[in-house]
Amino acid sequence: QVHLVESGGGLVQAGGSLRLSCAASGGTFSTNAMGWFRQAPGKEREFVAAISWSGGTIKYADSVKDRATISRDNAKNTVYLQMNSLKPEDTAVYYCAADRSRYLGTSYYFTSEYDYWGQGTQVTVSS
């Protein structure tokens, strides 16, 4: 079992930046591909970014392309999501997720691809 805890969310003005963190425990973190998703009220949970076990493969949703950077530090068992130029549309609860596989599959953008989820951290962007 892999336990994930997100942190770093908060209230920020439009145009600002946040760095979200996801700390993992209870598994071999370096063997897990990781993803970030978000869910706004009344919306489905949507894909944001994903990274393979080594960081060699990275994917982003079009909605955050050029504004987000996903990275991981396997020595610290932590994955990060740096978000810049934040927009009110980015307001959501952000979740990190772990895949049992070390690689990103063809369905990395679907929630059903992942096996473990964190509790989420709230990001609110004011206009």
Side-chain angles (χ1 to χ4, degrees), residues 8-18 83 85-88 90-91 122-127:
L11 176 64
V12 63
Q13 294 188 63
S17 300
L18 285 173
M83 296 196 67
S85 301
L86 285 162
K87 307 174 181 179
D90 295 318
T91 296
Q122 177 72 49
V123 172
T124 302
V125 184
S126 61
S127 60

Side-chain angles (χ1 to χ4, degrees), residues 1-4 23-32 72 74 77 98 116:
Q1 297 290 323
V2 176
H3 181 63
L4 306 172
S25 62
T28 305
F29 177 76
S30 62
T31 66
N32 295 111
R72 65 191 298 162
N74 290 343
N77 291 341
Y116 309 100

Side-chain angles (χ1 to χ4, degrees), residues 4-5 16-17 21-22 24 27 31 36 45-46 50 55 60-61 64-65 72 74 76 79 81-82 85 95 105 125:
L4 306 172
V5 179
S17 300
S21 299
C22 176
T31 66
W36 283 96
R45 190 168 299 187
E46 66 174 354
Y60 295 105
V64 301
K65 185 179 180 181
R72 65 191 298 162
N74 290 343
K76 296 181 179 180
V79 62
L81 182 68
Q82 175 72 40
S85 301
Y95 300 89
V125 184

Side-chain angles (χ1 to χ4, degrees), residues 62-82:
D62 288 342
S63 59
V64 301
K65 185 179 180 181
D66 300 324
R67 300 190 298 117
T69 302
I70 188 171
S71 61
R72 65 191 298 162
D73 186 339
N74 290 343
K76 296 181 179 180
N77 291 341
T78 302
V79 62
Y80 304 96
L81 182 68
Q82 175 72 40

